[in-house]
């Protein structure tokens, strides 16, 4: 296969134009951290920060936690700092590096419990820094720049890569994923996107590409690809490579993967010790390779002493020097993301015409990451959804532009949504209208049970489908929203299922019309009291039609950590439910 020949040198030497969003080289990062460190720039110009020379009698201790992949490079740089007696303000810098998975540190900082016992955090991606920012009491983190990068692609054992035409044939993310999940011969594995930036960024890129190529069916395709990947998911990046088929005897083992979603650096490190037979060839997707960007992040910098903050600055500047860049490159990292080293790419399994030097995809937005995590949540976790549908008289009204009533279109949309759930998911159905059941405004039509369960020869899915189809507006019925919501939420909380995604879905076409019900303020206060972060049951409230009050359903839903939505056409309900579940699922991460 000629896999050890150098990549196309012209491609390496002449990359495309740089995008401003990714021109964050180590040099720029260093300049930025000088500003962030508050007065440190002036100190450097004034000679207060020594860049060499004899150490003083006492050293400044700097504690760094870093992603396992980059920790060896940081330790080597720390050793070099000691050997060369690099100082800050005349003091040696004594850097101690601890390897910890980025998702664990992000969760710890997001919770904000106690003072962190480290000064600097170097996760493998900015996605973890974003996750910290979602916490209500998070520790303060200050990204100062990026010390390295590594694109994410798909590595395959040589025989699998050859079967797909490597290196001449190129693929998009959906094409690669489909090829790796439909055929048992390829067996594509990934690390859990909830714990792996490589897995999360690849899943986001896959979803964005599927939506671009598939139009309205893109969400469905993305979910299907995620579902296929879920069956071969490892707990973390550290365990992913352990799933690889390593020799001829293991190639036919269905439990062993022959292709992996991983970073270029991970492929480089693997190939350095794997040998020719067990090495990986690397596909760089033609629709863009997202990148790990290794942000150098100060933790609670406002609490640092001046000596510590300057030592943190000094250690970072090492990675803009030739020696620092050399150390990173020797460990498989890119120090200039737009001009990759041909030696590095070849050692990682890349080769022209694979687009290893192309512009990376733009980083996904916070919203896109949340939706991706939400999709993953409901893909790998079973869902438990209690569905509550408005059956008031107004649901008889016809939808503009359609020869169907609101209720008829709502039923069709619910049936479509039902088809997207597995037999392991649990779904139930209530209907509501004023005085529907004696003095009560609500009635249970189907309990919340596993769709695959059977009773009297009929699955719960079939029974629920029939119940959806039989929904009819109640003559003279008004919208009894408040009492129904409180009762349904209490029921959903009392029947909470561990290990599942629990939620309450409410669909209504109007504001509360029951004068004898509790008030909105009382409902919201009680929902806030009932809500439990350890056992979350978010309300997903959907206002259907022009008479529905979006602000009302939004206030009700947000009291439980959920979300309120409005649709003019009930046919949009299916897509809104999926999106809302994604958002709610990601907020539980």
């Amino acid at each position: 296969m000629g896999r050890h020949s150098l990549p196309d040198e012209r491609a390496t030497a002449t990359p495309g134009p740089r995008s401003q969003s990714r021109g964050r080289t180590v040099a720029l990062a260093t300049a930025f951290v000088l500003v962030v460190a508050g007065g440190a720039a002036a100190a450097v110009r004034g000679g207060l920060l020594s860049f060499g020379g004899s150490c003083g009698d006492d050293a400044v201790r700097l504690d760094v936690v870093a992603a396992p992949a980059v920790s060896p490079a940081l330790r080597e740089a720390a050793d070099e700092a000691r050997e060369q007696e690099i100082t800050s303000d005349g003091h040696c810098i004594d850097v101690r590096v601890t390897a910890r998975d980025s998702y664990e540190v992000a969760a710890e900082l997001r919770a904000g419990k106690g003072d962190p016992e480290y000064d600097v955090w170097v996760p493998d991606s900015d996605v973890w820094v974003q996750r910290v920012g979602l916490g209500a009491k998070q520790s303060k983190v200050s990204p100062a720049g990026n010390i390295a990068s590594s694109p994410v692609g798909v590595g395959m054992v040589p025989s699998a890569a050859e079967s797909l035409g490597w290196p001449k044939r190129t693929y998009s993310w959906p094409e690669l994923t489909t090829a790796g999940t439909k055929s048992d011969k390829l067996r594509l594995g990934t690390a859990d996107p909830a714990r792996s930036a490589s897995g999360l960024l690849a899943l986001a890129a896959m979803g964005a590409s599927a939506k671009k190529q598939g139009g309205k069916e893109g969400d469905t395709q993305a979910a299907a690809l995620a579902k296929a990947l879920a069956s071969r998911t490892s707990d973390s990046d550290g365990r992913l490579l352990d799933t690889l088929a390593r020799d001829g005897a293991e190639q036919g083992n269905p439990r062993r993967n022959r292709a992996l979603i991983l970073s270029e650096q991970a492929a480089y490190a693997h190939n350095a010790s794997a040998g020719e037979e067990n090495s990986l060839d690397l596909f760089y997707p033609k629709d863009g390779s997202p990148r790990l960007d290794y942000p150098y992040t100060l933790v609670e910098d406002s609490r640092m002493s001046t000596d510590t903050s300057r030592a943190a600055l000094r250690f970072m500047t090492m990675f803009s020097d030739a020696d620092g860049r050399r150390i990173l490159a020797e460990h498989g990292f890119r120090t200039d993301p737009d001009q990759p080293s041909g030696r590095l790419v070849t050692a990682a399994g890349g080769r022209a015409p694979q687009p290893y030097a192309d512009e990376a995809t733009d980083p996904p937005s916070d919203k896109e990451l949340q939706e991706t995590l939400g999709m993953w949540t409901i893909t790998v976790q079973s869902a438990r959804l209690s569905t509550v549908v408005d059956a008031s008289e107004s649901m008889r009204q016809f939808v503009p532009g359609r020869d169907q009533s609101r209720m008829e279109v709502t039923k069709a949309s619910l049936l479509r949504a039902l088809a997207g759930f597995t037999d392991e998911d649990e779904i139930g159905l209530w209907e509501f209208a004023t005085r529907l059941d004696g003095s009560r405004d609500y009635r249970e039509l189907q309990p919340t049970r596993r769709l695959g369960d059977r009773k009297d020869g009929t699955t719960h899915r079939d029974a629920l489908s029939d119940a959806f189809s039989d929904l009819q507006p109640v003559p003279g019925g008004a919208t009894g929203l408040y009492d129904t919501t409180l009762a349904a939420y209490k029921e959903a909380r009392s029947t909470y299922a561990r290990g599942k995604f629990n939620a309450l879905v409410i669909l209504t076409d109007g504001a509360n019309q029951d004068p004898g019900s509790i008030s909105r303020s009382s409902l919201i206060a009680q929902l806030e009291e009932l809500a439990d972060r350890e056992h979350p049951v978010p309300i997903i409230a959907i206002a259907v039609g022009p008479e529905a009050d979006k602000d009302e359903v939004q206030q009700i839903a947000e009291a439980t950590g959920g979300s309120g939505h409005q649709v003019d056409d009930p046919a949009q309900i299916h897509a809104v439910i999926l999106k809302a579940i994604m958002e709610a699922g990601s907020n539980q991460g």
Side-chain angles (χ1 to χ4, degrees):
M1 297 175 62
R3 56 185 318 281
H4 290 297
S5 59
L6 283 174
D8 187 303
E9 291 299 325
R10 184 171 63 179
T12 303
T14 58
R18 300 184 183 186
S19 68
Q20 292 183 351
S21 64
R22 289 191 345 277
R24 299 164 70 191
T25 61
V26 175
L28 288 177
T30 302
F32 181 58
V33 77
L34 294 176
V35 177
V36 172
V44 171
R45 288 193 296 270
L48 296 178
L49 298 187
S50 172
F51 292 137
S54 299
C55 288
D57 294 333
D58 55 337
V60 178
R61 171 76 173 265
L62 185 69
D63 288 295
V64 177
V65 294
V70 77
S71 292
L74 296 180
R75 289 197 187 101
E76 187 173 334
D79 291 342
E80 190 161 299
R82 282 188 285 271
E83 291 170 3
Q84 294 184 4
E85 296 186 339
I86 292 175
T87 63
S88 169
D89 277 352
H91 302 290
C92 290
I93 54 174
D94 180 16
V95 182
R96 310 288 179 91
V97 180
T98 302
R100 288 186 61 188
D101 285 323
S102 298
Y103 75 90
E104 289 184 347
V105 179
E108 178 178 278
L109 294 173
R110 183 180 177 184
K113 297 178 180 178
D115 293 332
E117 296 182 352
Y118 40 89
D119 311 298
V120 174
W121 175 38
V122 186
D124 56 8
S125 173
D126 185 60
V127 302
W128 302 117
V129 180
Q130 294 179 38
R131 292 286 285 167
V132 172
L134 296 175
K137 300 179 180 179
Q138 76 273 17
S139 299
K140 180 186 176 185
V141 291
S142 304
N146 304 79
I147 63 171
S149 70
S150 188
V152 176
V154 177
M156 296 188 186
V157 298
S159 58
E162 185 177 16
S163 71
L164 292 186
W166 182 92
K168 293 183 178 180
R169 186 172 177 184
T170 58
Y171 294 80
S172 67
W173 275 108
E175 290 167 347
L176 271 173
T177 310
T178 299
T181 53
K182 280 192 173 181
S183 172
D184 188 56
K185 293 182 180 180
L186 288 179
R187 301 192 296 274
L188 174 64
T190 185
D192 183 353
R195 297 183 172 190
S196 162
S198 297
L200 176 58
L201 290 170
L203 191 62
M206 188 192 312
S209 185
K211 292 174 185 177
K212 185 176 181 180
Q213 295 179 20
K216 293 181 179 180
E217 300 301 320
D219 281 333
T220 303
Q221 183 185 3
L225 293 173
K227 188 71 173 177
L229 278 174
S231 64
R232 307 195 74 87
T233 298
S234 300
D235 287 344
S236 62
D237 289 312
R239 296 187 178 183
L240 179 61
L241 283 162
D242 292 338
T243 70
L244 194 66
R246 295 185 179 274
D247 55 38
E250 288 188 345
Q251 295 296 326
N253 186 340
R255 296 186 178 182
R256 290 289 185 176
N257 293 315
R258 303 181 73 224
L260 302 174
I261 293 174
L262 77 176
S263 70
E264 179 184 77
Q265 188 277 332
Y268 175 97
H270 170 80
N271 288 351
S273 60
E276 180 76 14
E277 186 177 2
N278 294 318
S279 62
L280 293 171
D281 294 325
L282 199 56
F283 282 91
Y284 296 77
K286 62 185 180 183
D287 46 355
S289 296
R291 289 178 177 171
L292 304 182
D293 55 3
Y294 300 92
Y296 190 94
T297 308
L298 307 181
V299 180
E300 297 288 2
D301 57 323
S302 61
R303 300 180 186 178
M304 288 184 188
S305 68
T306 300
D307 286 345
T308 301
S309 65
R310 290 180 175 178
L313 163 66
R314 180 63 189 101
F315 186 55
M316 182 179 175
T317 63
M318 289 185 64
F319 299 103
S320 65
D321 297 339
D323 285 345
R325 293 196 301 270
R326 171 188 54 78
I327 290 171
L328 289 168
E330 287 176 351
H331 286 270
F333 297 97
R334 296 188 182 189
T335 55
D336 184 342
D338 298 304
Q339 292 187 349
S341 158
R343 184 192 66 81
L344 186 158
V345 171
T346 299
R351 180 182 166 192
Q354 288 296 313
Y356 58 83
D358 282 4
E359 289 283 307
T361 55
D362 289 332
S365 66
D366 290 356
K367 180 181 177 182
E368 289 169 333
L369 287 175
Q370 288 178 11
E371 289 188 355
T372 299
L373 278 173
M375 178 184 68
W376 185 255
T377 297
I378 63 173
T379 297
V380 301
Q381 277 189 313
S382 295
R384 180 179 173 84
L385 304 179
S386 301
T387 309
V388 182
V389 180
D390 191 342
S392 60
E393 175 74 32
S394 57
M395 290 292 282
R396 293 185 188 277
Q397 295 184 19
F398 276 67
V399 177
R402 292 176 178 269
D403 190 24
Q404 291 177 303
S405 70
R406 291 176 184 171
M407 180 62 85
E408 289 171 324
V409 179
T410 296
K411 291 191 295 185
S413 194
L414 288 171
L415 288 168
R416 183 182 174 200
L418 179 61
F421 290 91
T422 71
D423 284 350
E424 297 302 316
D425 296 316
E426 301 177 18
I427 302 179
L429 175 63
W430 286 21
E431 63 175 349
F432 70 98
T434 51
R435 289 172 176 61
L436 180 65
D437 185 12
S439 61
R440 296 194 305 180
D441 294 342
Y442 49 88
R443 177 168 56 201
E444 182 184 73
L445 299 179
Q446 285 291 329
T448 304
R449 292 171 46 208
R450 181 178 169 275
L451 291 176
D453 285 352
R454 287 184 170 271
K455 183 177 181 181
D456 300 328
T458 301
T459 65
H460 181 57
R461 181 190 296 274
D462 290 338
L464 188 63
S465 179
D466 290 342
F468 280 147
S469 299
D470 292 340
L471 283 169
Q472 295 295 332
V474 175
T479 305
L481 179 61
Y482 295 165
D483 286 351
T484 299
T485 298
L486 183 59
Y489 193 73
K490 287 180 176 179
E491 174 69 13
R493 282 286 296 112
S494 67
T495 58
Y496 179 88
R498 291 182 178 274
K500 293 181 180 289
F501 171 76
N502 293 250
L504 174 63
V505 180
I506 299 175
L507 297 100
T508 181
D509 76 339
N512 184 68
Q513 296 172 324
D514 184 356
S517 72
I518 60 174
S519 65
R520 182 195 299 188
S521 60
S522 177
L523 169 63
I524 291 173
Q526 291 188 62
L527 290 175
E528 289 176 341
E529 185 175 348
L530 288 166
D532 181 354
R533 289 181 61 88
E534 299 300 321
H535 305 91
V537 184
I539 288 178
I540 298 169
I542 303 175
V544 182
E547 289 84 22
D549 188 337
K550 180 184 177 181
D551 290 339
E552 180 172 66
V553 298
Q554 193 163 334
Q555 289 179 36
I556 291 170
E558 289 178 349
T560 65
S563 56
H565 309 264
Q566 185 168 28
V567 297
D568 294 328
D569 187 339
Q572 301 167 349
I573 290 173
H574 167 256
V576 170
I577 289 177
L578 178 60
K579 179 182 178 181
I581 291 175
M582 289 178 181
E583 292 174 354
S586 66
N587 289 337
Q588 294 182 25

